[in-house]
Amino acid sequence: MGSQATVSLQLLRIIDQAYNRKSWHGTNLRGSIRGLTPRQTEWRPSPHRHNIHELVVHAAYWKYAVANRLARGRRGAFALKGSNWFTRNGSARQWTEDVALLEAVHRELRAVVAALRDDELDRPLPKSAMTPFTLVSGVAAHDLYHAGQIQLLKTLQR
């Protein structure tokens, strides 16, 4: 196994552990939303704070943004109109669709990361100081950050 396969495999493991694979750190993003009802996902700690549902769509958006950036500015549009934060007030159908969106965008990100070459990882992307390695490790940290927020929101609801 060459270094390209090893680095690609390690980056995939990092994003998967943060998203949906068992790891030492505890609950990942997918685990943090497992079994939630739409009502739980729409609860806000105060009127101008994000709810769990919005955190999930936000995470999906940034996985999409990173995948697009890594694919060298590939054209396309996120599945929802807007960017970054999306207001969600929780219907069961919308929750199911948005969790499916998160899953689909994670699979797309995995495919883009799997296609990265070792010699690209530390080379800044065009018109940026960011490298692919920085973006991939950052999206994993982003998933874990929001998984922690979701765990806290679930505790505060009780």
Side-chain angles (χ1 to χ4, degrees), residues 14 16-19 21-29 144:
I14 288 168
D16 285 345
Q17 285 178 0
Y19 178 64
R21 297 283 192 260
K22 187 175 180 172
S23 182
W24 69 269
H25 55 68
T27 307
N28 54 44
L29 182 59
L144 291 175

Side-chain angles (χ1 to χ4, degrees), residues 44-152:
R44 296 176 191 280
S46 67
H48 300 291
R49 296 293 177 191
H50 296 292
N51 60 35
I52 291 170
H53 195 155
E54 291 167 349
L55 292 171
V56 165
V57 178
H58 169 78
Y61 175 80
W62 283 105
K63 285 176 180 288
Y64 158 83
V66 167
N68 267 6
R69 186 71 175 112
L70 292 173
R72 301 289 190 244
R74 180 185 63 214
R75 294 284 184 219
F78 187 58
L80 304 172
K81 186 175 175 78
S83 64
N84 200 17
W85 291 107
F86 302 82
T87 301
R88 291 295 193 250
N89 293 313
S91 75
R93 180 175 174 216
Q94 190 177 62
W95 172 243
T96 300
E97 289 172 357
D98 288 343
V99 170
L101 174 63
L102 178 67
E103 290 284 338
V105 175
H106 183 76
R107 284 191 305 273
E108 181 181 328
L109 174 65
R110 286 188 96 261
V112 171
V113 171
L116 290 172
R117 295 189 330 260
D118 192 39
D119 64 342
E120 296 176 299
L121 293 175
D122 290 321
R123 185 180 308 137
L125 294 162
K127 301 178 185 175
S128 175
M130 293 286 179
T131 66
F133 183 86
T134 300
L135 288 176
V136 174
S137 59
V139 82
H142 189 251
D143 276 1
L144 291 175
Y145 172 77
H146 289 304
Q149 281 186 311
I150 291 167
Q151 291 295 93
L152 179 59

